[in-house]
């Protein structure tokens, strides 16, 4: 284990010996797996970039590493002294908790009640302080309430620093590596890249890499019904209350720029549940809610994806963080009882026998 200097030279102190790697060096390099059962390759080929294989369990490890290491390099964060304050729906909080513990930084993570007890417990295990806020009374949304609390903490906590994932360029830059890895596996890049949009860090970083390298890959951004990222929701969307964290946002992220996505597809929470359960049933991949969103978008796109095309779906996290929601038949029934029930594990066993 690398010994950290307390004068802010933490980055320089990290080992560069390839054979003696530390946990932060294991971020990235996630596997790309074929989804041939869900998408028969005779039509078009789909690969999944499985981001749960990051040490913190999600794609947000990349963003946390990029933002924290940049802040240390530029003196905004001083190991042993500074406190990181951030708003997160869960995954960035866990990723930051891991990074802050590694670099001897304090962390206060502002979450909302959609953050599971397990996620909060993981953050605390890494040494973070977790604060839970309720919906903003003016908008009925969680995000403005979380941001208000972050601003208050920045005023009151000494040496506090807010990475601000929604506006931090280093959140986006982290995903140059995501796209580079995809292109190393599929030279020239895939024809289509399907990804979930939240802060738009993944979208912006991958789209920048595609542009800068002159690739022909077209980007399909998957957003939540009711989200405002790519424009005001249609009137019918307003009754859809989002319960699955990760993709979608109640504000337009400053990281978003015009033209990053070639196509935007919006999915409901129920689509996410169905997508997750199909991925589990067919491919034995236990994935998180936004992965279900990406699967639902891909499954609804078979009419326009040309035969022989290659698609990559970015799966941001694993399903073990959603056992009490997406993978709980009780939760699904309570939230979507007016809709057709997605295939449960019991149903799968029944239909297979
Ligand atoms: N899915 C999950 C599970 C996430 O945690 C996030 C990050 N909020 C996203 C999708 C969206 O990624 P990004 O913030 O890079 O747009």
């Amino acid at each position: 284990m690398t010994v950290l200097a307390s004068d802010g030279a933490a980055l320089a102190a990290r080992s560069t010996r390839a054979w003696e790697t530390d946990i932060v060096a294991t971020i990235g390099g996630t596997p790309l797996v074929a989804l041939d059962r869900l998408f028969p390759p005779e039509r078009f080929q789909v690969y999944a970039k499985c981001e749960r294989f990051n040490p913190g369990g999600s794609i947000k490890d990349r963003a946390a590493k990029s933002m924290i290491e940049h802040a240390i390099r530029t003196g905004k964060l001083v190991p042993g002294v500074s406190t990181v304050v951030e708003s997160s729906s869960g995954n960035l909080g866990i990723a930051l908790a891991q990074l802050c513990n590694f670099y001897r930084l304090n962390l206060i993570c502002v979450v909302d009640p959609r953050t599971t007890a397990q996620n909060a417990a993981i953050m605390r295990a890494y040494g973070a302080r977790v604060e839970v806020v309720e919906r903003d009374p003016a908008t009925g949304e969680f995000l403005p309430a979380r941001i208000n609390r972050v601003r208050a903490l920045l005023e009151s906590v000494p040496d506090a620093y807010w990475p601000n994932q929604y506006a931090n360029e280093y959140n986006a830059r982290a995903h140059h590596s995501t796209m580079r890895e995809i292109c190393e596996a599929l030279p020239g890049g895939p024809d289509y890249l399907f990804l979930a949009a939240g802060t738009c860090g993944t979208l912006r970083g991958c789209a920048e890499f595609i542009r800068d390298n002159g690739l022909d890959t077209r980007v399909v951004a998957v957003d939540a019904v009711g989200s405002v990222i790519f424009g005001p929701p249609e009137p019918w969307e307003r009754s859809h209350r989002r319960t699955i964290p990760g993709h979608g946002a109640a504000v337009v992220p400053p990281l978003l720029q015009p033209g990053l996505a070639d196509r935007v597809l919006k999915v409901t929470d129920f689509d996410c549940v169905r997508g997750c359960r199909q991925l589990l049933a067919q491919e034995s991949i236990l994935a998180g809610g936004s992965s279900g969103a990406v699967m639902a978008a891909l499954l609804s796109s078979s009419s326009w994806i040309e035969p022989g095309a290659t698609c990559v779906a970015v799966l941001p996290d694993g399903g073990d963080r959603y056992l009490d929601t997406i993978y709980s038949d009780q939760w699904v029934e309570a939230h979507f009882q007016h809709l057709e029930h997605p295939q449960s594990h019991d149903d799968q066993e029944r239909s297979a026998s």
Side-chain angles (χ1 to χ4, degrees), residues 59-60 89 91 165 171 175 196-202 245-247 290 316-317 322:
I59 196 166
K60 298 306 276 196
S89 65
N91 282 333
Q165 60 163 333
N171 171 9
H175 297 288
T199 66
C200 294
T202 314
H247 58 300
S290 59
D317 66 359
Y322 304 82

Side-chain angles (χ1 to χ4, degrees), residues 38 270-280 292-293 295-296 299:
L38 206 45
F270 189 63
D271 294 329
C272 297
V273 172
R274 260 203 309 231
C276 281
R277 289 185 175 221
Q278 280 176 278
L279 194 57
L280 181 60
M295 281 303 108
L299 286 161

